[in-house]
Amino acid sequence: MAADLQAKYTKLALEYSKLRAQNQVLKKGVVDEQASSTSLKDQVKQREQSLRKVEQEMDSLTFRNQQLAKRVELLQEELAASEAKGKKSKNKGDSPSQQGLQQTQSVFDEDLQKKIQENERLHIQFYEADEQHRQQESQLKGRLEQLERDHEQHQAIVDGLTSKYMDTIERLQSDKARLEVKSQTLEREAKECRVRTEECQQQLRKCQSELNRQVKKSSIVIQEKVPFNDTKFSDYNSLNVPPHNRRHQLKARDVAGQALGFVQDIVAALLNFHSYTEQRVHIYPLDSSIEPISPLNQKFSQYLHENAAYVRPLEEGLVQLHQSITEDTVTVLETVGKLKDFADHFTSYTHFLQKILPYQLKSLEEECGTPLCTSSLTSKNQELQSDMKRITSLFDKLHSYISLLALPSVRQDSMPQSSSSAVFTQLAACLHSLHDAVKEMSTHYSQKASLEQELSTVTQKLRTTNECLLASLGSLTSSTGKIATFFSNNLDFFTSSTGYSPRGGAGSLNPLQAESMLGNKKKASDYMHAIRKPRPESVPYREALLHRRVLTSSTESREGLTQQVVASQEKIARLEQEKEHWLLEAQLGRVRLEKESQRIQDLETQLSFALGGGGSPAHSLGQAPGSPALTSLEDGEVQERGAGKEAMLSNSLVGMLTTTPTNEEVGDEESREQLIKTHYMARVGELTTQLQVSDSKAVNFHAECRALAKRLAIAEKSRETLTEEVKLANQNITRLQDELATTKRSYKEQLSMMSDHLCSMNETLSKQREEIDTLKLGSKGNSKLLKKSR
């Protein structure tokens, strides 16, 4: 938690430093813009000052122009007066005064012309200056508006960054306060830890002193009492009880339990696969013209029917191996004797696979030879043949590796540690290859089943059998993949040394010797426990006699009840046998009744034939006392009379059967034996079917239970993760609510600041507008004066 807070604090500090650098850049930009705005304002002021100077010059020029206009008027009046005087004095001739007056008049005219030209030139300059002033004023106004907009944008950015910085600062301050509180708590805990450490150091010093004292005392005792050190020599040290690696034993038992679970899944999948293969052999022919099942397939079906005798011992052998691994045993290859039994069972199953392989290949060839088999089905059958060969060879490899691993338990020093590691490695690789082969065969079976679905003559029973086959192959693929992954993950454990060695760690230890030492140690422990066990208190004599009477009476009553129970069980068994006997007798009686009915019908036919021949019924019957009909009736009466006299009882596996010796023909005896055989075969078939159905249901139920257990564990884990996520979500909601409140508060402050800023900007704009209007009015008045002067 402290590391998370430190990382969070560091991240916030980095963000703060970045934002601070950005804030400095923006501040610099704002300062630059303010400086440029100030310079522009100074330029505007200078322009206004120059405008005022120009206006003053214009006023002075206007005044001077007015004076010149007045002077021109005076001169024009004088000129008019002089012209009038000149007209009056024309007749008198030109006098020298008139000539001087004309010269003066011409001088005034030239001066007037120059003044007029100068006035025009000044008017033109004033107009040009006014136009230039207007252009500069419009440019400066546009630039001023642009600068104001930029200023507003920069100010908004600055305000946003300021609010963000304030939020960050507040959050950092809160984190800082929280971290300070946590640091204080940690300091207190550190102080307490230091105190506890000092106490532990004091206790350690005391323990060390006590141990030193005990070591000295033990050394003195050893020097005085022990004549030699038995761990010094390896021959003597091997007789000591070795240290026992219980952790290795627990790991070995756990690994054996997991392997047992995987093997149980594989056994269930193999049983289902062989059973459904047997059913498919019986129902595959799709053409009614073909013989339902060939002799080869019948033999193949018989072998497949025996698969449980080879598959079940694999599970039983591994169960015994798992039970032999306990906490108080030495589990190495030399001491695991049950591994040899498992190897023998695996050998028998491998021989079973090799025995049925030719029949499997021949059965697929017969399927290819049927008229309804297409080319695609033929190619899939060929692929399945190669898959079966590959799987059989892989099982043979597994049998070789398992036999090698079981060899040290029979003969010691038959395989070194390096060779066993290589065997385990090859075994894991072979399991992966088996998983790939089974997966490939499952894919080919699935493709073959989809092709058979397209045939028009396919039956619903074949579809169901194919689905069951694919399900069993899928289960086998999953189980082989799990056990291959399990072996790969635990390969280091299989190839590692057991860690059993004599005291002192010198030399190696014989596992069988270590096991015998552990057995002696257990015996010694049991003996010491029996010695230290408290003796029970003695019982008084009279109470013991009373208890003996009660015990005797209860024993007698228990023996009586036991005898009654045994008698009842025998009676129930006898009644069950009688029930089976009478059921069989009823079936035989039904058959006899049918035969007698048939015989009566034959007699009636013969009688009708004899009557048709001309004789009377009574005469015909009387003249033929030795006819076959009468003989058979007499024989039937003899059989009925002798049935109650000469009866023999014979016990069988199903019940008690009564046989009556009769004088019937050989055909009746053969039919009776055939009926009995048919009855028992039907019963055995029904029981076998029920057993297979029960096995498949049990396997499916076991798989469903395991799947449900796994789903329950996954659901528990998901519930825990969802609980953690809900907690985190609640924390995030609380944090977001706090951030939302802080953001609202900062937005309100920003809005108030923006409203104040807008008010101040509106006032500034109104002032600038007033100044602009004043300048416009002044410029309009000047233009009007210029027009008037013109």
Side-chain angles (χ1 to χ4, degrees):
M1 188 66 182
D4 295 339
L5 289 174
Q6 186 66 27
K8 188 177 180 182
Y9 183 74
T10 307
K11 187 177 180 181
L12 291 173
L14 290 173
E15 291 181 358
Y16 179 70
S17 61
K18 290 180 182 178
L19 293 174
R20 190 172 181 181
Q22 293 177 1
N23 188 16
Q24 289 178 358
V25 173
L26 291 173
K27 281 184 178 180
K28 187 176 179 181
V30 171
V31 170
D32 294 338
E33 292 296 332
Q34 288 178 355
S36 62
S37 178
T38 305
S39 63
L40 290 173
K41 287 181 180 179
D42 294 336
Q43 290 179 6
V44 170
K45 288 180 181 180
Q46 291 176 2
R47 297 291 181 182
E48 288 178 353
Q49 290 177 1
S50 61
L51 181 62
R52 291 192 189 95
K53 288 180 182 180
V54 171
E55 287 178 353
Q56 290 175 0
E57 291 177 357
M58 189 178 66
D59 293 337
S60 62
L61 290 172
T62 304
F63 179 71
R64 190 174 179 184
N65 192 13
Q66 290 176 359
Q67 288 180 350
L68 290 172
K70 288 179 181 180
R71 187 175 179 185
V72 168
E73 288 177 359
L74 291 174
L75 289 173
Q76 286 178 354
E77 289 176 358
E78 289 178 357
L79 179 61
S82 63
E83 287 179 354
K85 287 180 181 181
K87 288 179 181 180
K88 289 179 181 180
S89 60
K90 271 184 181 179
N91 296 324
K92 294 181 179 181
D94 295 330
S95 60
S97 59
Q98 290 178 349
Q99 293 177 356
L101 183 62
Q102 291 177 352
Q103 292 176 355
T104 305
Q105 185 66 31
S106 63
V107 170
F108 279 121
D109 291 335
E110 291 176 359
D111 191 11
L112 178 61
Q113 189 67 30
K114 290 179 180 178
K115 294 296 182 183
I116 290 169
Q117 292 176 357
E118 185 178 1
N119 191 10
E120 289 179 357
R121 183 174 57 77
L122 289 173
H123 274 292
I124 290 168
Q125 290 179 356
F126 178 75
Y127 180 75
E128 290 177 354
D130 189 14
E131 290 294 330
Q132 187 177 3
H133 172 70
R134 288 178 181 176
Q135 291 177 0
Q136 290 179 354
E137 184 179 4
S138 62
Q139 291 176 359
L140 291 173
K141 284 181 180 179
R143 189 173 179 184
L144 180 63
E145 291 176 354
Q146 182 66 30
L147 291 173
E148 286 178 353
R149 287 195 294 271
D150 294 341
H151 177 70
E152 290 177 357
Q153 292 177 358
H154 288 305
Q155 190 65 32
I157 293 170
V158 169
D159 294 339
L161 292 173
T162 305
S163 62
K164 189 174 181 181
Y165 294 154
M166 293 300 295
D167 296 338
T168 306
I169 289 168
E170 289 179 358
R171 189 166 62 252
L172 290 173
Q173 286 177 352
S174 63
D175 293 339
K176 182 181 178 182
R178 188 167 60 254
L179 289 172
E180 286 177 354
V181 172
K182 188 172 183 180
S183 64
Q184 292 175 1
T185 307
L186 292 173
E187 286 177 357
R188 288 196 299 270
E189 292 179 355
K191 289 180 182 179
E192 293 176 357
C193 289
R194 282 195 293 271
V195 172
R196 287 199 298 270
T197 304
E198 291 177 357
E199 293 177 355
C200 291
Q201 287 178 354
Q202 291 177 0
Q203 293 178 1
L204 179 62
R205 286 193 290 271
K206 291 179 180 179
C207 290
Q208 286 179 350
S209 61
E210 181 67 22
L211 288 173
N212 290 330
R213 186 181 62 79
Q214 291 180 3
V215 165
K216 290 180 181 179
K217 186 177 179 181
S218 300
S219 300
I220 294 170
V221 171
I222 289 170
Q223 291 176 1
E224 293 178 354
K225 304 294 183 182
V226 178
F228 64 94
N229 185 11
D230 57 355
T231 61
K232 186 176 181 180
F233 302 100
S234 60
D235 295 335
Y236 297 150
N237 193 20
S238 63
L239 298 175
N240 290 325
V241 177
H244 187 46
N245 194 347
R246 294 183 182 274
R247 185 176 297 176
H248 183 273
Q249 286 301 120
L250 294 175
K251 177 69 174 177
R253 184 168 179 80
D254 186 20
V255 167
Q258 294 180 14
L260 176 61
F262 295 138
V263 170
Q264 286 176 345
D265 294 341
I266 293 174
V267 166
L270 288 174
L271 285 171
N272 290 333
F273 176 71
H274 292 315
S275 300
Y276 294 132
T277 305
E278 180 187 359
Q279 293 181 12
R280 179 182 168 84
V281 168
H282 283 283
I283 64 175
Y284 178 73
L286 304 176
D287 192 356
S288 59
S289 63
I290 302 175
E291 186 180 357
I293 181 168
S294 63
L296 185 139
N297 282 338
Q298 189 172 3
K299 191 71 174 177
F300 181 37
S301 174
Q302 182 179 357
Y303 286 153
L304 287 175
H305 191 69
E306 300 171 357
N307 72 90
Y310 299 98
V311 179
R312 289 291 184 188
L314 294 176
E315 181 180 359
E316 296 173 359
L318 201 59
V319 168
Q320 293 177 1
L321 176 62
H322 178 254
Q323 291 174 355
S324 66
I325 300 173
T326 61
E327 187 178 355
D328 296 328
T329 58
V330 179
T331 304
V332 289
L333 293 177
E334 290 82 358
T335 60
V336 184
K338 297 296 182 181
L339 185 59
K340 177 62 177 171
D341 299 337
F342 177 74
D344 294 339
H345 296 320
F346 201 87
T347 303
S348 63
Y349 180 68
T350 307
H351 292 163
F352 169 72
L353 290 179
Q354 292 174 353
K355 183 172 66 174
I356 66 173
L357 178 61
Y359 294 98
Q360 288 177 329
L361 301 179
K362 192 65 178 176
S363 177
L364 291 172
E365 288 180 2
E366 288 185 358
E367 289 184 10
C368 296
T370 57
L372 297 176
C373 185
T374 60
S375 59
S376 56
L377 277 175
T378 303
S379 63
K380 293 303 171 187
N381 286 332
Q382 292 174 356
E383 291 175 353
L384 285 174
Q385 284 178 344
S386 62
D387 293 338
M388 289 174 181
K389 291 178 183 178
R390 183 184 174 190
I391 289 174
T392 305
S393 64
L394 288 172
F395 268 102
D396 195 12
K397 281 186 179 180
L398 286 175
H399 156 250
S400 301
Y401 295 140
I402 294 172
S403 300
L404 283 175
L405 293 175
L407 190 59
S409 63
V410 180
R411 188 178 62 193
Q412 297 183 12
D413 300 331
S414 60
M415 186 169 58
Q417 178 68 26
S418 59
S419 300
S420 63
S421 302
V423 171
F424 275 117
T425 306
Q426 293 296 326
L427 179 62
C430 188
L431 285 173
H432 280 288
S433 301
L434 179 63
H435 169 63
D436 296 337
V438 173
K439 186 176 180 181
E440 189 173 356
M441 187 172 72
S442 177
T443 305
H444 293 160
Y445 254 117
S446 177
Q447 295 172 357
K448 179 182 177 182
S450 61
L451 290 173
E452 287 179 350
Q453 293 284 345
E454 300 174 357
L455 298 175
S456 59
T457 57
V458 68
T459 60
Q460 183 62 35
K461 192 172 183 180
L462 182 60
R463 289 195 184 97
T464 308
T465 305
N466 286 337
E467 291 175 359
C468 295
L469 262 174
L470 290 175
S472 62
L473 281 175
S475 176
L476 186 60
T477 304
S478 175
S479 302
T480 52
K482 289 178 182 177
I483 197 168
T485 306
F486 165 75
F487 260 85
S488 299
N489 294 336
N490 293 278
L491 191 59
D492 295 336
F493 172 75
F494 290 128
T495 57
S496 62
S497 60
T498 57
Y500 295 105
S501 60
R503 292 184 179 180
S508 60
L509 186 66
N510 189 350
L512 296 178
Q513 189 178 8
E515 189 174 8
S516 64
M517 289 296 177
L518 288 175
N520 293 332
K521 180 181 178 182
K522 188 174 183 303
K523 289 179 181 179
S525 176
D526 296 338
Y527 176 71
M528 296 300 295
H529 181 70
I531 290 175
R532 294 175 181 176
K533 187 176 180 181
R535 295 182 179 179
E537 297 181 357
S538 61
V539 182
Y541 180 71
R542 293 183 179 179
E543 187 176 354
L545 288 176
L546 181 61
H547 289 171
R548 183 176 179 280
R549 295 193 189 100
V550 173
L551 182 62
T552 304
S553 62
S554 61
T555 304
E556 292 176 354
S557 61
R558 185 177 64 182
E559 290 178 354
L561 291 174
T562 305
Q563 292 176 359
Q564 291 179 6
V565 169
V566 170
S568 300
Q569 290 177 352
E570 291 177 354
K571 187 175 181 181
I572 291 169
R574 188 169 61 254
L575 290 174
E576 289 289 337
Q577 291 176 358
E578 291 179 358
K579 177 184 175 183
E580 291 288 337
H581 162 67
W582 289 117
L583 286 173
L584 185 59
E585 287 293 334
Q587 187 175 2
L588 294 173
R590 193 178 300 112
V591 173
R592 285 177 185 170
L593 180 61
E594 291 176 356
K595 287 184 177 181
E596 290 296 331
S597 300
Q598 184 66 31
R599 190 177 297 170
I600 290 169
Q601 290 178 1
D602 294 340
L603 289 173
E604 288 178 353
T605 305
Q606 293 176 5
L607 182 61
S608 61
F609 179 74
L611 290 174
S616 64
H619 179 74
S620 300
L621 290 173
Q623 286 182 353
S627 63
L630 294 177
T631 305
S632 62
L633 288 174
E634 291 174 358
D635 291 341
E637 292 176 359
V638 170
Q639 287 177 5
E640 289 177 0
R641 287 194 300 268
K645 295 180 180 180
E646 298 178 0
M648 289 191 304
L649 297 177
S650 64
N651 293 325
S652 64
L653 294 175
V654 239
M656 185 187 299
L657 179 63
T658 303
T659 59
T660 305
T662 60
N663 294 324
E664 294 179 351
E665 296 177 356
V666 179
D668 295 336
E669 294 178 358
E670 291 179 355
S671 63
R672 177 185 176 89
E673 291 177 359
Q674 186 65 29
L675 286 172
I676 295 171
K677 183 178 179 181
T678 306
H679 171 73
Y680 284 123
M681 290 300 293
R683 189 69 182 274
V684 169
E686 291 176 0
L687 292 175
T688 305
T689 306
Q690 292 177 3
L691 181 60
Q692 290 180 354
V693 171
S694 301
D695 286 342
S696 61
K697 288 182 179 179
V699 169
N700 293 330
F701 182 70
H702 178 66
E704 289 178 1
C705 289
R706 292 189 64 184
L708 289 174
K710 291 179 181 177
R711 289 177 62 186
L712 179 62
I714 294 169
E716 289 291 335
K717 291 181 181 179
S718 63
R719 184 176 65 82
E720 293 176 358
T721 46
L722 289 174
T723 306
E724 294 294 332
E725 289 178 358
V726 167
K727 290 182 181 178
L728 293 174
N730 291 328
Q731 294 176 0
N732 291 330
I733 288 169
T734 307
R735 180 175 57 80
L736 291 173
Q737 287 177 352
D738 296 338
E739 291 181 358
L740 181 61
T742 308
T743 307
K744 285 182 179 179
R745 185 171 64 253
S746 63
Y747 282 167
K748 287 180 181 178
E749 293 176 355
Q750 289 178 10
L751 287 173
S752 61
M753 292 172 64
M754 289 294 291
S755 59
D756 295 337
H757 181 68
L758 286 173
C759 292
S760 62
M761 291 298 294
N762 287 328
E763 292 177 357
T764 306
L765 286 173
S766 61
K767 289 180 181 179
Q768 290 179 355
R769 284 174 182 172
E770 288 177 358
E771 291 178 357
I772 290 168
D773 293 337
T774 305
L775 291 172
K776 285 181 178 180
L777 291 174
S779 63
K780 285 180 180 179
N782 294 330
S783 62
K784 287 179 181 179
L785 289 174
L786 288 173
K787 289 179 181 179
K788 286 180 180 180
S789 63
R790 289 178 184 174

